[in-house]
Amino acid sequence: SQELEQSPQSLIVQEGKNLTINCTSSKTLYGLYWYKQKYGEGLIFLMMLQKGGEEKSHEKITAKLDEKKQQSSLHITASQPSHAGIYLCGADFSGGYQKVTFGIGTKLQVIP
Amino acid sequence: KAGVTQTPRYLIKTRGQQVTLSCSPISGHRSVSWYQQTPGQGLQFLFEYFSETQRNKGNFPGRFSGRQFSNSRSEMNVSTLELGDSALYLCASSLAGLFNEKLFFGSGTQLSVL
């Protein structure tokens, strides 16, 4: 089974609607990355959460880390077609040299 | 500052051949990691290099190898290609490759094995 489970796996929303993507870990989380990917391209760094309870925002995207629940959520407010893509959460369980484990991704489509 | 650069962007090979992919990290970054992305398995860690040394390795067969040069540029090699090696190969760089450090990705090399 996946160490990082993302839900939902795909999402279709009307432009202007809010949405939430969740990432749940089967292991203790010490930090979590969120990336966005356009199909067949590289990953664009969105934000990184390093402490329990931490919340970060960038433009209309907000991410929170709940260490007790071993979960992170990514919330998009007033979605736009430019938000479409694949959202991936990643976590480093190594505790040492970087080795990031990623979730399978959430595919987001925004309908104008 | 230029981002992570990967070449080539696309590659088509046949089974049994070998392939070499190249990655130039962001200037000043000394750690380079490689990942394989497939529709079924998602993104999987291959290996990480720092100062020309492999420090971490994922669960891939020995056909997958890499190296890093003194200028931090890295190459990844896959020998005796199999159909299942068809994937997007992504390279990422960070300052020192330490736990919970910001990781920047290139656009990837799309490898198709026929």
Side-chain angles (χ1 to χ4, degrees):
Chain A
S1 64
Q2 292 274 343
E3 289 169 315
L4 287 176
E5 296 276 355
Q6 283 187 240
S7 62
Q9 287 193 17
S10 69
L11 198 50
I12 303 173
V13 299
Q14 200 80 37
E15 184 177 355
K17 296 291 186 189
N18 302 336
L19 64 107
T20 300
I21 297 168
N22 292 306
C23 177
T24 303
S25 173
S26 61
K27 294 181 176 182
T28 303
L29 275 176
Y30 297 103
L32 194 113
Y33 301 88
W34 281 102
Y35 286 89
K36 180 186 171 186
Q37 184 180 30
K38 292 285 190 185
Y39 182 74
E41 296 183 12
L43 277 63
I44 299 164
F45 178 86
L46 292 175
M47 53 194 89
M48 185 176 177
L49 305 165
Q50 291 181 294
K51 287 180 259 183
E54 188 172 18
E55 181 174 317
K56 285 189 178 176
S57 293
H58 176 67
E59 296 178 346
K60 292 184 179 179
I61 301 175
T62 301
K64 292 183 205 179
L65 178 62
D66 185 334
E67 271 187 351
K68 285 182 185 172
K69 290 185 182 175
Q70 293 180 179
Q71 190 176 71
S72 178
S73 59
L74 185 89
H75 185 78
I76 299 177
T77 306
S79 58
Q80 300 166 357
S82 60
H83 287 128
I86 301 167
Y87 288 82
L88 293 133
C89 65
D92 192 342
F93 299 115
S94 69
Y97 300 129
Q98 205 164 47
K99 180 179 177 180
V100 181
T101 298
F102 286 91
I104 202 76
T106 295
K107 185 178 175 184
L108 172 64
Q109 289 176 255
V110 180
I111 302 168
Chain B
K1 222 180 199 182
V4 179
T5 305
Q6 289 189 248
T7 56
R9 186 72 180 88
Y10 300 96
L11 262 179
I12 299 175
K13 292 284 186 180
T14 54
R15 274 185 302 174
Q17 286 187 309
Q18 75 161 16
V19 69
T20 300
L21 314 181
S22 180
C23 172
S24 292
I26 289 171
S27 177
H29 284 194
R30 295 175 65 194
S31 168
V32 173
S33 304
W34 288 90
Y35 290 80
Q36 181 197 65
Q37 187 177 34
T38 57
Q41 298 294 319
L43 261 170
Q44 291 188 291
F45 174 82
L46 280 155
F47 25 65
E48 186 262 350
Y49 285 87
F50 179 84
S51 286
E52 303 175 68
T53 301
Q54 186 184 90
R55 297 191 301 191
N56 238 334
K57 192 177 187 318
N59 295 326
F60 279 83
R63 299 185 296 107
F64 291 83
S65 62
R67 59 177 175 167
Q68 187 182 34
F69 302 95
S70 57
N71 61 358
S72 295
R73 191 177 72 83
S74 177
E75 285 182 349
M76 190 194 108
N77 186 275
V78 189
S79 62
T80 322
L81 283 165
E82 299 178 0
L83 295 177
D85 296 334
S86 294
L88 180 66
Y89 289 88
L90 291 161
C91 159
S93 77
S94 65
L95 280 169
L98 297 176
F99 176 69
N100 273 359
E101 206 172 56
K102 220 169 173 181
L103 193 61
F104 295 88
F105 282 82
S107 298
T109 294
Q110 184 69 55
L111 171 65
S112 297
V113 182
L114 307 176

